[in-house]
Amino acid sequence: MQGKANLAPESTAERTALWRALHVEIDAAPHVFEDRVGLRLLAPGAEWRRRPDMDPDFTKTFRASMVARARFVEDLVIEQADRGVAQYVILGAGIDTFAQRRTDVACRMRIFEVDQPAPQEWKRQRLTALGYGIPEWLRFVPVDFEAGGSVWQALAEAGFDAKQSAIIASTGVSMYLTKEATLATFRQVAALAPGSTLAMTFMLPLYLMPPDVRLQLGQALEGARASGTPFISLFAPEEIMAMARSAGFQDVRHVPPSALAQRYFTNRKDGLQLSSAEEFLVATT
């Protein structure tokens, strides 16, 4: 059993949730993505905005990327739900708050949050303590990856029906996986019922990035390595699209940051713009 002292969110999930909250607190309206629930769950104390990784200027492109990818996935989930897709799987869910913020959509679906056991138990306890609770349609799926746990077996045990279409989201995860692991995920999702969709972020190799972004990402790579979570896999768009097609997806498209910028950041007066390091792959069965 995990002791209570070990229950805590992962640092990357915590930072992402705080950046989403920082966007609402300091960036100009209209906000790309509004999420204060994550801040409530974390309850970081009054001084959280003084943290070095919350510096308003240095983190500007990073938090823009976080809210852009969250908004893109949420728009896609709502679109699929309106088409009748009733299963939503979040791989590496972290402090995702869709189930708490968009109950109007979530209650029509069955949502499966996949994560490591300890951070997920922390989240369960915080949701209960704050009165959100765990509705029947929200399924927590703890998977101990270090012990060789199987995501798809755990999903099946939690009630996921591979014969029914689903939307699968994986953001901020692929860089920590081997390319073989990513290909295995592609094959699993491509074998799901027709009409299923995978939305996944990936990071470009340094040589494909503009010089200014290259410097920032280089620092991020060093920080990830120092914290014990090194980036393992970076993809050129053509490479990851070819992998998805070889896994059996019927339709594969690349969504670059420029498309998200045009969709969510046009005519902003505060100069907020996202980093060009992270891209989206959207593949359907």
Side-chain angles (χ1 to χ4, degrees):
M1 290 286 291
Q2 295 274 2
K4 284 189 177 182
N6 297 325
L7 300 184
E10 293 183 345
S11 60
T12 52
E14 176 187 23
R15 188 179 303 112
T16 296
L18 291 179
W19 278 343
R20 293 197 300 257
L22 191 64
H23 172 60
V24 177
E25 294 205 358
I26 69 172
D27 292 325
H31 297 118
V32 176
F33 189 77
E34 296 196 7
D35 181 10
R36 296 180 183 273
V37 176
L39 184 62
R40 290 195 68 201
L41 290 174
L42 288 166
E47 300 297 309
W48 70 273
R49 283 175 50 176
R50 295 183 182 273
R51 289 172 37 160
D53 58 355
M54 293 296 125
D55 179 84
D57 293 325
F58 179 75
T59 66
K60 197 169 189 176
T61 58
F62 294 118
R63 71 174 179 272
S65 294
M66 294 304 102
V67 296
R69 80 182 189 190
R71 175 66 181 275
F72 178 75
V73 170
E74 191 155 301
D75 285 352
L76 188 59
V77 171
I78 294 170
E79 174 188 299
Q80 294 299 308
D82 289 344
R83 292 178 178 175
V85 175
Q87 297 185 114
Y88 175 27
V89 177
I90 311 171
L91 301 177
I95 309 178
D96 187 277
T97 60
F98 178 76
Q100 290 74 48
R101 292 177 298 97
R102 294 306 307 264
T103 54
D104 57 320
V105 180
C107 69
R108 294 187 273 131
M109 309 182 79
R110 185 169 291 177
I111 299 174
F112 301 87
E113 293 196 10
V114 179
D115 211 341
Q116 294 275 12
Q120 192 166 81
E121 181 57 28
W122 169 86
K123 185 177 182 181
R124 180 190 294 275
Q125 292 183 13
R126 290 297 295 151
L127 287 171
T128 300
L130 291 174
Y132 290 104
I134 314 295
E136 188 278 334
W137 40 262
L138 175 59
R139 307 291 174 89
F140 278 8
V141 186
V143 179
D144 190 342
F145 300 104
E146 294 180 0
S150 168
V151 169
W152 301 97
Q153 180 180 341
L155 279 168
E157 292 171 355
F160 180 77
D161 185 354
K163 296 180 181 179
Q164 299 294 321
S165 57
I167 178 164
I168 317 291
S170 175
T171 58
V173 175
S174 67
M175 69 282 287
Y176 301 111
L177 305 177
T178 64
K179 292 187 177 182
E180 292 75 17
T182 294
L183 181 58
T185 297
F186 283 170
R187 288 171 175 158
Q188 290 280 1
V189 179
L192 297 178
S196 295
T197 301
L198 170 68
M200 188 187 84
T201 59
F202 63 95
M203 295 194 74
L204 297 175
L206 287 175
Y207 72 87
L208 288 178
M209 297 181 188
D212 57 332
V213 178
R214 199 176 303 162
L215 176 61
Q216 283 188 321
L217 184 62
Q219 294 172 340
L221 287 169
E222 288 302 319
R225 187 178 298 110
S227 65
T229 54
F231 291 2
I232 297 173
S233 300
L234 305 176
F235 297 92
E238 297 79 8
E239 177 188 12
I240 199 167
M241 291 175 72
M243 285 173 58
R245 292 190 184 101
S246 72
F249 284 104
Q250 296 299 307
D251 182 67
V252 178
R253 62 188 174 101
H254 167 223
V255 182
S258 58
L260 299 185
Q262 183 176 14
R263 186 169 180 174
Y264 301 125
F265 294 86
T266 299
N267 296 327
R268 289 194 67 88
K269 301 188 184 304
D270 58 2
L272 189 67
Q273 58 183 357
L274 64 163
S275 165
S276 57
E278 192 173 56
E279 318 265 317
F280 259 102
L281 174 85
V282 179
T284 56
T285 59

